[in-house]
Amino acid sequence: MTVSRDQVTVVIPVLNEERAIGVVLRELKEHGYGNVLVVDGYSTDKTVEVANDNGVRVVYQHGRGKTGALRTAVERVDTPYLVVIDGDATYDPGGIERLLAHADRYDQVIGYRAEGRKNIPWLHRLGNWLITKAFNLLMGTGLSDVCSGIWLLRTEKARQLELNSSGFGLEVEVAAQVRDSVTEVPIGYRSRVGKRKLGTWREGLRILTSLVRLARAYNPVLLFSAVASLSIIPACIILGWVGLEVLLWHRWRETWLMLGTMLLLFATQAVAVSTISILLRRMERRIMESLRKG
């Protein structure tokens, strides 16, 4: 059953988006979305004025970044679902309908950027690819675009989230906590209206760092077993060196042989634990999927 438009509040976090916010609000109105909440991060331009002129609710956020904006929004949303969309006009509000089609079965529905990827700077595309791959590895998921700026969230679930990220790490933090009940649909991506705010290297490194923290909190078995698996590298180096000395100089390094063997056994066990963890996660997702279909 498709969720209707009046069951959704569209949340738009903004900071100095006076050139784009009017476009976004007009398109939302054209597509029939009446519940709109603009959360302003204390803009110094005319963003709030433009939003007020379009007749939507505007509130000032508490806390930092998009995380503070979501916390502020959740306190005021009174519909069963909310949709977060960037206020820079890069996402067509018409794509929200695709998110609504699956909202009754999942806690989160992400719109992954399948069309118009040429509008994303190549360095941002690379960073997004790396972050998404790292997220899937550490969380045992198979998402395509964990950094997307348009996603639907069940309001009840949103109130249960523990949000601690800053900057642009919100999307990763939310997906990590609802990873057992998340899906994605393709949407388009357009050229940005106004100046970009994302600092590529700084924000990318910050998100990758937060990924490790999130994996430690929500999927520690896979994280630590994956890290332990890296001991296979020094194990192979040590054993290779010991073998080379035996072959070339007939010298027997018993202590190093024992160390290399222990590291190899430890790495082998860690790989086994990682594999079992991934299989259990897949089984869990299949069970959850069966329950939703049932």
Side-chain angles (χ1 to χ4, degrees):
M1 180 180 66
T2 302
V3 173
S4 63
R5 291 177 175 80
D6 59 3
Q7 292 178 283
V8 176
T9 297
V10 180
V11 176
I12 313 175
V14 292
L15 177 63
N16 296 331
E17 297 287 3
E18 68 170 290
R19 292 178 55 191
I21 188 61
V23 176
V24 177
L25 295 175
R26 286 191 293 273
E27 290 181 338
L28 283 169
K29 185 176 181 180
E30 290 171 0
H31 286 284
Y33 296 99
N35 297 322
V36 179
L37 177 64
V38 173
V39 185
D40 184 67
Y42 301 92
S43 298
T44 56
D45 61 6
K46 296 182 180 180
T47 298
V48 173
E49 182 180 332
V50 174
N52 283 326
D53 289 344
N54 279 271
V56 299
R57 287 186 295 165
V58 181
V59 297
Y60 289 101
Q61 75 175 63
H62 61 80
R64 297 176 56 192
K66 291 182 73 175
T67 299
L70 181 60
R71 285 176 177 166
T72 305
V74 168
E75 294 171 355
R76 291 164 171 79
V77 170
D78 54 9
T79 54
Y81 303 89
L82 62 89
V83 170
V84 176
I85 183 172
D86 286 347
D88 56 9
T90 50
Y91 298 93
D92 181 358
I96 295 176
E97 188 173 353
R98 296 185 179 184
L99 308 181
L100 301 184
H102 306 279
D104 60 326
R105 292 181 176 271
Y106 296 91
D107 289 333
Q108 184 184 28
V109 185
I110 299 173
Y112 71 90
R113 291 165 283 189
E115 305 166 12
R117 293 187 63 82
K118 67 180 185 301
N119 295 316
I120 308 174
W122 73 267
L123 197 55
H124 288 187
R125 289 201 301 270
L126 175 61
N128 183 59
W129 181 82
L130 289 172
I131 291 169
T132 300
K133 290 298 182 182
F135 182 89
N136 289 335
L137 176 64
L138 294 173
M139 296 298 173
T141 55
L143 297 176
S144 306
D145 189 4
V146 73
C147 296
S148 173
I150 181 171
W151 36 277
L152 176 145
L153 193 62
R154 195 182 298 270
T155 304
E156 180 182 358
K157 186 65 178 181
R159 295 195 172 105
Q160 299 171 3
L161 298 177
E162 297 179 9
L163 301 176
N164 301 299
S165 64
S166 60
F168 290 83
L170 173 65
E171 286 80 7
V172 171
E173 190 164 33
V174 171
Q177 294 183 54
V178 299
R179 65 191 186 282
D180 293 326
S181 183
V182 60
T183 191
E184 56 186 8
V185 295
I187 48 90
Y189 189 80
R190 308 182 296 197
S191 297
R192 193 194 200 287
V193 176
K195 185 179 179 181
R196 290 189 178 275
K197 302 183 182 69
L198 180 60
T200 305
W201 295 108
R202 182 182 60 187
E203 290 297 338
L205 289 173
R206 184 181 297 175
I207 293 172
L208 285 172
T209 302
S210 68
L211 262 177
V212 177
R213 174 180 58 82
L214 292 168
R216 184 179 61 193
Y218 300 108
N219 203 9
V221 174
L222 182 56
L223 172 64
F224 290 118
S225 57
V227 171
S229 300
L230 295 177
S231 60
I232 198 170
I233 298 174
C236 290
I237 293 174
I238 291 172
L239 292 175
W241 173 60
V242 170
L244 190 63
E245 287 214 329
V246 171
L247 289 173
L248 297 180
W249 300 291
H250 306 289
R251 285 189 296 215
W252 186 254
R253 303 282 188 177
E254 185 175 346
T255 302
W256 287 104
L257 177 62
M258 290 179 60
L259 177 61
T261 303
M262 289 175 62
L263 285 173
L264 184 61
L265 289 173
F266 178 65
T268 302
Q269 291 176 340
V271 169
V273 172
S274 298
T275 303
I276 293 172
S277 177
I278 293 172
L279 291 175
L280 288 175
R281 293 285 304 153
R282 288 179 178 174
M283 185 182 300
E284 184 180 8
R285 283 201 301 272
R286 288 175 181 173
I287 293 173
M288 294 295 293
E289 183 68 22
S290 297
L291 291 174
R292 279 193 290 266
K293 290 180 179 179

